[in-house]
Amino acid sequence: MIAKVVVDVAVDREFDYRIPDSLREQVKLGSRVMISFGSRQTQGYVVGFANTSEHAELKLIDAVVGEKPYIDEKLLQLARWMGEYYCAPVELAVRAVLPGAVRRHKAAFKEQLFVERVGGDTGPRGKAPKQDAVLDALERQGGMFLAELVKASGVEAGTVRTLERKGFVRIAKRASLRDPLARHTILPSRPPELMPEQAEALRVVCDSIDRLVPPVVLLHGVTGSGKTEVYLRAIQHALQQDKGAVVLVPEISLTPQTIERFRSRFGGSIAVLHSHLSDGERHDEWHRIHDGEARIVIGARSAVFAPVRNLGLIVVDEEHENSYKQEEAPRYNARDVAVMRGHMQGCAVLLGSATPALESCHNARKGKYCLVSMRRRVDHRSMPSMQVVDMRLEAERTGRVSVFSRELVSAVRARLDRGEQVMLFLNRRGYATSLVCSKCGYVASCEHCSISLTYHRHEEALKCHVCGAGKRVPERCPGCADPQYKLTGIGTQRVEAAVGKIFSGARVARMDADTTTTKGSHDRILGDFRTGKIDILVGTQMIAKGLDFPNVTLIGVLNADTSLHMPDFRAGERTFQLLTQVAGRAGRGEVPGEVIIQTFTPFHAAVQAARRLDYEGFCDKEMEYRQELGYPPFGHLVCVAVKGVVRERVEAAVERFAEALRPLLPASVIPAGPAPAPLERAKGQYRFQLILRAPLTRTILDALKPALRNFRWPSGVSASVDVDALSVL
Ligand code: ADP
Ligand code: ZN
């Protein structure tokens, strides 16, 4: 017998090892094994078996590590598919499925003192109330960790030791799982009565869960329509059938508030997976899931691989979010992996969004997904009223580009007078987006990237938002030595400063990547906003999504154009989604909300559709344009990105590759490029891309894979493949 093994060191291959007779019984699919690899010993995973090998001399597997295989056959199948589809080495796909913390077998458990009731009758109670309290607690619970017991019964540890001496309890060390949620106290919540649209959506999802071949359900629900409540009930239904569930949310939405909503319904059967867990916590959570102790997993992207037993449902919240796409190999989209996993394991998949991705909308229109819509907000709350302000007119009137239009200023004033709250959204951090010399036209730009530097006021520094490099503001223009500079373009810092000037007395806070670098700062700002310590919250996309603040009645979008003019075919879709999501933060309480969108392109289709809150209308228009050009969702797109430090070498290499590829491409594949990427230089590397479009990914990969295999990139030049690329910048 021969085992196919992938090893932790990155080489895109499976290796054949002979299984010694002594290990026949133990080596299973997914087993972790010790092997000698080259001159050293290392660990690997068994991903398959064979009877013969093309290699004559095979090494033996040395040992099996651990008892249970870590990856079951189904997850392995998913990993293989992922490697194939996303054009990634199989061991990288296996690594994605199995978290590093689990793979590396990191120190897992913390030892703590555990107290159990032993021994016989304690005689009549009432003489020693403290000891009684301990015994009562233990008899109710069976056994408890000492720390817990002390907290629950309000007695000192000494009391417990006394009982140990008397032989009524036993205290011994026991492994305890770190619980990342232990700090939060959770109050149980009672589910609300469902609205009719929610009930109908739930019926469709439950029906899917109960089927042998469950259809994917796309839940299109406007902001505030109560999608989360539908998820909660659907999970409840899965649990009742003894099935588990996975809930994916964008990393940015994985806040304590979100987690508590799930925890308060399902308590300890929840495991949480997100990027801020320590290795130890991640390891523990993974094992709680693997051992069947946690039946529900809530997490970001990689939670799609959680080894939940008898998986019945995967929920993908905000399924249109870009953050579901992994930016390094394997460049998978967790939403699409969820759909594939559902298909392979016969589990239901629920995709939810107020602005479904065009791909999902297309699948629903084709009948591939089952669509349910929720068009109303819960409790008959109205959708916000939307107003678009033409900033060109404002500039004409005032003779300069201002941060706030007159409309927005008076709307903010009105809210402050009434004690209501305001959110101001701008997708640019920093103070000014560029520093320009008005004499010679010099623009401060990054030495490593083809992008201008952003001026940050507090640090008095110029920073690159691509590579993070920073430098001090020069005293004179490096171009003409003139001491005068102009700061152009508006960032959140500048908005915050302007708010302070115009609305003196108002309490302002800013939330962006610069103000949330320390642990807990994110939660603190939102907490202060929730409790009314802040009147106006200025922020980037960090405040655009998922937040639910009933007292926010006005949202100002300061510049709707920032995402519109990206050189990317999805720019319109992104802008529409962003505006709709931002608008969704307004009017979630009793008072109806108002949204003011400032823009220099007021008649752009995405802006207009957002103003009308018209998702279908936007899709109709956008679909037409995409179909005409053969862009997704009409067909698939694969981006081959080539980069290196020396521009000429990169360009020559990508040209040569394109030439080698061309004869292999069937007529149905439309190539574009090679051409410099819109962001031509990043982190010191020149970037070129070749974009391939075709009705089926298969058609592209069948030509691309052999071409890549046979091509040797010159040293200093590397290539990566992004299948279903979301960003082609
Ligand atoms: P969405 O995710 O669709 O934007 P949420 O699930 O966050 O909406 O729900 C919005 C608010 O309405 C939440 O505060 C939620 O608790 C509440 N809610 C949801 N369903 C109901 C219901 N049936 N009755 C009353 N309140 C509800
Ligand atoms: Zn840079």
Side-chain angles (χ1 to χ4, degrees):
M1 268 294 261
I2 290 156
K4 302 257 173 208
V5 177
V6 295
V7 287
D8 282 359
V9 284
V11 263
D12 181 15
R13 276 181 61 191
E14 294 174 4
F15 297 89
D16 293 353
Y17 282 82
R18 198 171 293 285
I19 305 170
D21 283 343
S22 58
L23 295 179
R24 273 265 157 100
E25 298 287 300
Q26 284 161 289
V27 176
K28 301 197 177 74
L29 215 51
S31 283
R32 214 173 147 66
V33 290
M34 285 306 287
I35 45 173
S36 38
F37 187 76
S39 59
R40 59 188 174 135
Q41 259 223 336
T42 184
Q43 296 199 356
Y45 290 93
V46 177
V47 295
F49 295 106
N51 288 321
T52 55
S53 170
E54 53 187 67
H55 305 284
E57 303 222 338
L58 294 184
K59 289 181 191 158
L60 287 173
I61 288 177
D62 298 333
V64 176
V65 184
E67 287 163 23
K68 267 186 289 187
Y70 276 178
I71 329 174
D72 70 12
E73 210 163 324
K74 285 174 178 162
L75 277 174
L76 208 53
Q77 190 192 356
L78 188 66
R80 279 173 185 280
W81 169 80
M82 195 161 64
E84 279 285 312
Y85 185 85
Y86 290 104
C87 227
V90 59
E91 84 281 349
L92 282 190
V94 170
R95 279 184 197 205
V97 168
L98 204 58
V102 178
R103 262 188 288 121
R104 288 191 298 270
H105 237 286
K106 263 272 155 68
F109 299 95
K110 205 165 65 182
E111 297 237 298
Q112 288 198 354
L113 294 175
F114 191 80
V115 188
E116 274 174 302
R117 174 81 170 84
V118 288
D121 194 4
T122 55
R125 302 274 173 101
K127 276 184 277 177
K130 283 182 179 178
Q131 296 185 12
D132 289 353
V134 171
L135 291 167
D136 284 348
L138 286 178
E139 274 158 19
R140 264 198 315 273
Q141 301 270 338
M144 289 168 94
F145 284 102
L146 182 60
E148 259 182 300
L149 180 60
V150 166
K151 208 169 152 202
S153 58
V155 299
E156 311 81 43
T159 309
V160 188
R161 290 288 181 192
T162 310
L163 284 168
E164 183 190 24
R165 274 198 300 280
K166 290 182 180 172
F168 293 131
V169 305
R170 177 173 53 218
I171 304 178
K173 276 197 181 151
R174 189 183 272 196
S176 131
L177 289 166
R178 280 170 292 251
D179 181 352
L181 282 166
R183 302 167 266 126
H184 299 280
T185 26
I186 313 261
L187 303 170
S189 74
R190 185 183 299 187
E193 191 90 18
L194 289 185
M195 308 292 289
E197 286 185 331
Q198 287 176 309
E200 173 57 15
L202 179 64
R203 193 191 60 73
V204 174
V205 182
C206 290
D207 187 54
S208 177
I209 295 171
D210 295 343
R211 291 229 204 142
L212 230 47
V213 184
V216 174
V217 179
L218 175 62
L219 174 57
H220 175 210
V222 299
T223 54
S225 57
K227 292 185 284 295
T228 310
E229 189 56 42
V230 176
Y231 306 157
L232 290 165
R233 300 289 180 103
I235 294 166
Q236 186 80 52
H237 181 82
L239 288 181
Q240 281 160 0
Q241 325 295 313
D242 201 27
K243 292 175 178 171
V246 169
V247 183
L248 301 183
V249 300
E251 182 82 44
I252 203 169
S253 315
L254 198 53
T255 58
Q257 195 194 356
T258 308
I259 296 167
E260 269 176 40
R261 264 178 101 175
F262 285 84
R263 263 250 155 162
S264 67
R265 207 59 73 78
F266 302 112
S269 53
I270 288 205
V272 182
L273 296 173
H274 61 75
S275 63
H276 300 304
L277 293 180
S278 66
D279 264 8
E281 284 169 342
R282 184 179 305 279
H283 178 281
D284 294 354
E285 290 295 82
W286 193 90
H287 280 282
R288 283 181 59 224
I289 302 162
H290 191 242
D291 298 345
E293 193 189 318
R295 303 302 314 278
I296 304 162
V297 176
I298 171 163
R301 189 169 60 219
S302 63
V304 71
F305 305 115
V308 174
R309 298 250 174 115
N310 195 17
L311 186 60
L313 174 69
I314 307 177
V315 176
V316 186
D317 188 26
E318 310 284 6
E319 62 85 32
H320 65 279
E321 273 282 325
N322 284 351
S323 63
Y324 284 126
K325 178 86 171 168
Q326 171 144 302
E327 294 298 337
E328 66 230 39
R331 295 181 167 77
Y332 67 90
N333 185 320
R335 175 199 58 217
D336 301 335
V337 173
V339 170
M340 184 43 85
R341 187 173 180 190
H343 173 73
M344 286 175 168
Q345 306 196 356
C347 95
V349 177
L350 170 58
L351 310 178
S353 175
T355 50
L358 249 65
E359 283 79 358
S360 301
C361 175
H362 186 60
N363 280 328
R365 287 183 175 186
K366 277 194 306 192
K368 201 175 150 198
Y369 294 171
C370 172
L371 177 71
V372 268
S373 300
M374 302 199 299
R375 297 172 189 281
R376 288 164 200 279
R377 286 187 159 180
V378 293
D379 277 355
H380 310 289
R381 280 171 204 147
S382 50
M383 293 302 287
S385 76
M386 310 280 289
Q387 192 191 346
V388 173
V389 175
D390 187 343
M391 292 303 275
R392 294 172 308 182
L393 300 178
E394 186 74 17
E396 222 166 82
R397 198 178 56 78
T398 58
R400 61 190 175 86
V401 176
S402 41
V403 181
F404 300 106
S405 59
R406 278 180 300 176
E407 286 88 344
L408 186 53
V409 170
S410 63
V412 172
R413 286 241 158 82
R415 295 316 183 293
L416 293 174
D417 290 345
R418 294 206 293 264
E420 294 164 9
Q421 289 173 302
V422 177
M423 281 165 107
L424 298 176
F425 172 80
L426 179 68
N427 218 1
R428 285 272 170 84
R429 62 196 170 88
Y431 187 84
T433 47
S434 44
L435 190 134
V436 182
C437 171
S438 43
K439 279 253 171 70
C440 75
Y442 166 87
V443 178
S445 53
C446 181
E447 288 159 30
H448 320 286
C449 312
S450 48
I451 193 171
S452 64
L453 295 170
T454 300
Y455 172 64
H456 286 249
R457 195 188 204 178
H458 297 299
E459 305 93 319
E460 270 298 321
L462 294 168
K463 283 192 195 164
C464 172
H465 285 186
V466 171
C467 71
K471 62 176 175 196
R472 291 175 50 91
V473 180
E475 296 199 349
R476 291 169 171 276
C477 170
C480 66
D482 192 88
Q484 287 291 317
Y485 276 122
K486 230 171 71 184
L487 295 169
T488 65
I490 297 158
T492 45
Q493 273 189 359
R494 190 165 182 176
V495 174
E496 187 188 18
V499 165
K501 272 201 205 121
I502 302 176
F503 310 105
S504 56
R507 294 161 302 173
V508 190
R510 171 165 58 94
M511 188 150 136
D512 56 28
D514 298 320
T515 62
T516 51
T517 45
T518 56
K519 200 175 175 179
S521 49
H522 184 272
D523 296 343
R524 199 190 55 245
I525 298 173
L526 292 182
D528 285 352
F529 194 48
R530 180 172 306 284
T531 51
K533 289 182 197 142
I534 296 167
D535 302 311
I536 301 176
L537 183 62
V538 177
T540 54
Q541 69 260 36
M542 275 190 180
I543 64 168
K545 291 154 195 172
L547 303 176
D548 188 3
F549 298 111
N551 198 35
V552 172
T553 59
L554 174 69
I555 308 267
V557 178
L558 297 172
N559 185 355
D561 308 319
T562 47
S563 60
L564 211 49
H565 300 312
M566 291 287 199
D568 187 320
F569 71 94
R570 285 192 176 88
E573 183 180 6
R574 297 253 167 75
T575 305
F576 175 79
Q577 286 167 346
L578 199 57
L579 292 177
T580 309
Q581 295 288 340
V582 174
R585 304 310 112 217
R588 294 176 78 94
E590 301 292 315
V591 186
E594 185 184 358
V595 178
I596 294 180
I597 300 172
Q598 301 186 158
T599 172
F600 289 92
T601 47
F603 300 109
H604 192 285
V607 175
Q608 283 299 323
R611 183 185 63 78
R612 295 192 308 268
L613 297 164
D614 182 10
Y615 174 77
E616 269 85 16
F618 174 76
C619 283
D620 290 344
K621 262 245 167 76
E622 187 71 16
M623 292 275 196
E624 254 173 50
Y625 149 75
R626 302 269 183 101
Q627 185 157 29
E628 218 161 86
L629 299 176
Y631 274 116
F634 301 91
H636 289 260
L637 178 154
V638 175
C639 178
V640 182
V642 181
K643 63 180 183 185
V645 176
V646 186
R647 191 180 192 282
E648 293 70 35
R649 286 181 77 104
V650 179
E651 185 168 19
V654 73
E655 294 282 358
R656 253 195 322 115
F657 178 71
E659 222 147 274
L661 176 67
R662 215 160 283 138
L664 304 178
L665 293 177
S668 59
V669 179
I670 309 170
L679 181 65
E680 192 178 337
R681 193 160 173 249
K683 302 178 188 176
Q685 307 237 29
Y686 286 92
R687 310 162 74 237
F688 278 73
Q689 32 178 243
L690 176 63
I691 292 173
L692 305 163
R693 283 175 282 149
L696 294 173
T697 318
R698 185 75 289 144
T699 339
I700 302 174
L701 294 183
D702 281 350
L704 185 59
K705 281 185 181 175
L708 282 168
R709 238 192 326 267
N710 295 326
F711 193 81
R712 281 195 51 147
W713 297 96
S715 69
V717 176
S718 66
S720 63
V721 177
D722 191 350
V723 176
D724 295 337
L726 281 186
S727 165
V728 288
L729 286 180

